[in-house]
């Protein structure tokens, strides 16, 4: 029964994505909606991303410095560890999970409210493809702007680690920068952006699907918004493991 229900849900999700990725009927309307979504889903998240990344970079740097108690381990490892953790895991994965909570719940509740108030039915009566009109701009906006957010996260996280080291005096600026520049593998940045694009698609498409398929009233809208956050977060962790296995191992 559970397997049948899961397969049916996956089938409905795939069919909705086919409807979503049709060519927009009116290009100017799509571009205007895309700009609105970039501001709403991306630009409005910059403050949260910067705040979380600065503190995380600082914490990672301080914890690494605290755990280096052998004279054979150079202090430059603090800069190296902070860079690797921010680029490989925190910025693309943890920030995406945070965005799943902020952006995913917003998408699901917005589209779900339109469903229960029959605005989606009204769009269909007017000859508009509701899935294409409502979900495609959100997916496109997130896949365009989330890499920008992740770049911000990497930069300010590494800066936060440097600032914490300099302010506390645990690691000198020279040692930190030396570790930051050492043993750099450019593919790690490519790997981070591949994960970011996959996670952006998961967050917006899953949240859009759960909002689009709401049945009932405002209580169901709230439940599906919560489910959107939970399911998106679980899928992000699962695909993180899969992509790491495929790209790095």
């Amino acid at each position: 029964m559970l397997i049948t229900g899961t397969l049916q849900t996956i089938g409905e999700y795939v069919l909705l994505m086919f409807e979503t990725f049709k060519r927009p009927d009116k290009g100017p309307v799509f571009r205007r909606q895309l700009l609105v979504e970039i501001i709403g889903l991306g630009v409005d998240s910059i403050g949260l991303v910067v705040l979380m990344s600065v503190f995380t970079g600082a914490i990672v740097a301080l914890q690494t410095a605290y755990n280096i108690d052998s004279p054979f381990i150079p202090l430059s490892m603090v800069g190296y560890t902070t860079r690797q953790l921010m680029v490989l895991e925190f910025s693309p994965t943890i920030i995406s999970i945070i965005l799943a909570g902020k952006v995913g719940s917003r998408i699901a509740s917005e589209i779900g409210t339109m469903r229960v108030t029959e605005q989606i039915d009204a769009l269909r009566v007017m000859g508009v493809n509701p899935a294409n009109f409502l979900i495609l701009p959100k997916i496109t906006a997130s896949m365009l702007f989330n890499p920008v957010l992740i770049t911000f996260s990497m930069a300010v996280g590494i800066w936060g680690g440097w600032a914490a080291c300099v302010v506390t005096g645990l690691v000198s600026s020279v040692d930190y920068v030396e570790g930051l520049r050492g043993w750099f593998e450019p593919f790690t940045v490519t790997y981070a952006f591949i994960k970011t694009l996959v996670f952006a698609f998961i967050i917006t498409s899953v949240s859009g699907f759960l909002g689009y398929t709401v049945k009932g009233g405002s209580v169901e809208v709230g439940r599906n918004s919560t489910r959107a956050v939970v399911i998106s977060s679980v899928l992000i962790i699962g695909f993180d493991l899969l992509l790491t296995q495929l790209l790095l191992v």
Side-chain angles (χ1 to χ4, degrees), residues 43-91:
V43 176
D44 288 350
S45 302
I46 289 178
L48 176 64
V49 169
V50 168
L51 186 66
M52 297 293 294
S53 300
V54 167
F55 281 104
T56 301
I59 292 167
V60 169
L62 293 180
Q63 287 185 343
T64 306
Y66 175 76
N67 282 283
I68 293 179
D69 55 2
S70 169
F72 297 104
I73 301 177
L75 289 177
S76 60
M77 288 302 295
V78 175
Y80 170 77
T81 304
T82 304
R83 183 198 71 201
Q84 291 297 95
L85 189 63
M86 294 303 300
V87 172
L88 286 174
E89 197 59 29
F90 179 81
S91 293

Side-chain angles (χ1 to χ4, degrees), residues 41-202:
L41 302 180
V43 176
D44 288 350
S45 302
I46 289 178
L48 176 64
V49 169
V50 168
L51 186 66
M52 297 293 294
S53 300
V54 167
F55 281 104
T56 301
I59 292 167
V60 169
L62 293 180
Q63 287 185 343
T64 306
Y66 175 76
N67 282 283
I68 293 179
D69 55 2
S70 169
F72 297 104
I73 301 177
L75 289 177
S76 60
M77 288 302 295
V78 175
Y80 170 77
T81 304
T82 304
R83 183 198 71 201
Q84 291 297 95
L85 189 63
M86 294 303 300
V87 172
L88 286 174
E89 197 59 29
F90 179 81
S91 293
T93 305
I94 305 302
I95 288 294
S96 292
I97 291 176
I98 293 170
L99 290 175
K102 181 181 182 295
V103 173
S105 60
R106 170 181 167 169
I107 292 173
S109 60
E110 179 185 324
I111 298 178
T113 301
M114 294 185 70
R115 167 63 74 187
V116 300
T117 56
E118 299 182 349
Q119 294 180 61
I120 291 179
D121 297 329
L123 286 172
R124 193 179 295 282
V125 169
M126 289 188 293
V128 177
N129 178 347
N132 178 269
F133 180 75
L134 295 173
I135 301 176
L136 183 60
K138 292 176 170 50
I139 293 176
T140 309
S142 288
M143 295 188 74
L144 286 175
F145 203 81
N146 276 24
V148 178
L149 289 176
I150 298 308
T151 303
F152 267 113
S153 173
M154 292 177 187
V156 299
I158 290 171
W159 179 86
W162 171 83
C165 290
V166 172
V167 169
T168 58
L170 289 174
V171 182
S172 70
S173 178
V174 173
D175 285 333
Y176 186 86
V177 174
E178 181 184 348
L180 203 60
R181 299 173 63 182
W183 308 287
F184 178 65
E185 175 57 54
F187 182 72
T188 55
V189 178
T190 305
Y191 161 77
F193 285 124
I194 291 173
K195 289 206 304 184
T196 299
L197 291 173
V198 173
F199 297 161
F201 178 79
I202 289 172

Side-chain angles (χ1 to χ4, degrees), residues 112-113 115-118 213-222 224:
T113 301
R115 167 63 74 187
V116 300
T117 56
E118 299 182 349
T213 54
V214 164
K215 295 176 182 175
S218 57
V219 175
E220 290 302 319
V221 173
N224 270 26

